[in-house]
Amino acid sequence: MPQELRVYNTLTRKLEPFRPAEPGRVRMYVCGMTVYDYCHIGHARAMITFDVVVRWLRETGLDVTYVRNYTDVDDKIIARAAEAGEDPLALSARFIEALDEDVGRLGLLTPTHQPKVSEHIDDIIALVERIVERGHGYVVPAAEGAEGHDVFFSVRSFPRYGQLSGKNLDDQRAGERVDVDPRKRDPADFALWKAARPGEPSWPSPWGPGRPGWHIECSAMSMRYLGESFDIHGGGIDLVFPHHENEIAQSESGTGVHPFAHYWMHNGHLTMAHEKMSKSLGNIVRIRDILDEVPAEALRLLYVETHYRSPLPYSSARLVEAMAALDRLYHAREVLAEMASRPPAASAEELVRDLGEPAAQLHELASRFPERFAEAMNEDFNTSRAVALVYDLTRAVNRFGNNKKWRKRSAALAEPALAAFDLAGRVLGIGALEPEDWFRQVRERRLRAMGRSEAEVQALVDARVEARKARDWARADAIREELAELGVVLMDTADGTRWRMRVG
Ligand SMILES: [Zn+2]
């Protein structure tokens, strides 16, 4: 039995055994995007991180309720809409649609619930009322230019404030800026409810027309779907302070229930290497632009190759490496499919005995894969180690598969290796396609980037076959050169000449 799952909890700064409050069930909330622009590669890191977390929890048999919100009411949205002369909610609706499109293309699981702030104003108002009633929030007249009242959270009323981020309220005073809102009791107090300003979206409330503060949104929406205490709260590392610190303070103050969330998980930063990006990729950061250039699996692989808590260096060179790695992986899958298609001629043990080390290595890596993969994933979702196992198996398959005679009688070795790739495909979302779909995706994108069509390449390939038949070697070689310049790799097989696009 592999060891039980351990999760790094930001709250305790320790790896802890993962024990959901209700055995067999996991309740998980992840902060979603503030929808005022297209999704970029930084957002994708959080989404892919927690997608893999959910996939692994489900793979181990847990019933996961996964909530990821859309923040569609926010200062940034209002500012962007004002610039564009657009209604803020129309602007956010537009970017929610774009986000859903990107999420679909990335192959991410659809969360169980995807609440929008604009549809949970009643829940938010009810929570703010509870916080005020319990003496943790206070109501002040709106600042000049706004109508009604603001409601602030009193950080001093919550003794555990700072437990998540390790920040101390008194230390913060030193660096405090002078232009603190005089209506606040403490400079660190934050808005639960903001009084309406002209042109901003607003809703009626006990404090006059207004809108929620950012932090309270996630508290109200997570509690709505998961209850007052749940298992995992996730998000990017930049959300630890103040967003998650404030979420804990206001949630536990409003309900009196501790803890609001048992495990706080945070993915690390994504860093852009200061490099000149390749011409084909350009200097792009939007998910949709990258997915026009490379298949989604290449991007996913780039993310899961790094442990989720480590900084992730993003570069187009790494994306090209991921493409090449997937090419090798799908080549291995093709080899295995061919092996599996033959009638079983011998047992795995007989093959290992007869064919020696390459067979033994393939057998060992494939049959022990599920256990090693589980060990890696149970160690705080160590996808980096899990990917290394996939690479080891890929190498062993390709090494073994080089021997065409062996392939014909080794169906027994193929089955566990195919099962291993399927497991990695389900959990990591890589290697999950049919090989021909992968090679087609690569081909289509490369040809599009070069302004060439498949038919043109096929015509050249056919012309070379004709030239060879006519023993016109000079012409055959010239065509091969031309194809090589296009990045076309030719494979002369018994069934004729096949071709594929080189990556990079
Ligand atoms: Zn949030």
Side-chain angles (χ1 to χ4, degrees), residues 183-200:
R183 299 171 304 150
K184 286 186 181 180
R185 292 181 189 164
D186 187 284
D189 288 354
F190 55 91
L192 296 169
W193 187 262
K194 297 179 170 186
R197 288 177 181 277
E200 291 183 358

Side-chain angles (χ1 to χ4, degrees), residues 340-404:
S341 70
R342 313 278 180 170
S347 71
E349 288 69 27
E350 286 165 335
L351 292 165
V352 167
R353 193 191 56 213
D354 296 352
L355 307 180
E357 208 268 328
Q361 194 198 29
L362 170 55
H363 182 56
E364 202 265 344
L365 288 174
S367 53
R368 295 206 53 201
F369 187 91
E371 177 196 338
R372 289 175 179 151
F373 188 84
E375 271 171 18
M377 293 305 290
N378 280 344
E379 192 64 17
D380 194 27
F381 306 94
N382 195 334
T383 56
S384 182
R385 249 170 67 200
V387 168
L389 293 170
V390 174
Y391 287 166
D392 288 346
L393 183 60
T394 298
R395 266 191 299 275
V397 171
N398 287 335
R399 180 171 167 233
F400 181 86
N402 270 340
N403 188 317
K404 287 184 183 153

Side-chain angles (χ1 to χ4, degrees), residues 145-160:
E147 176 192 350
H149 293 81
D150 287 325
V151 184
F152 287 112
F153 182 85
S154 166
V155 292
R156 295 275 167 191
S157 76
F158 186 69
R160 284 191 296 273

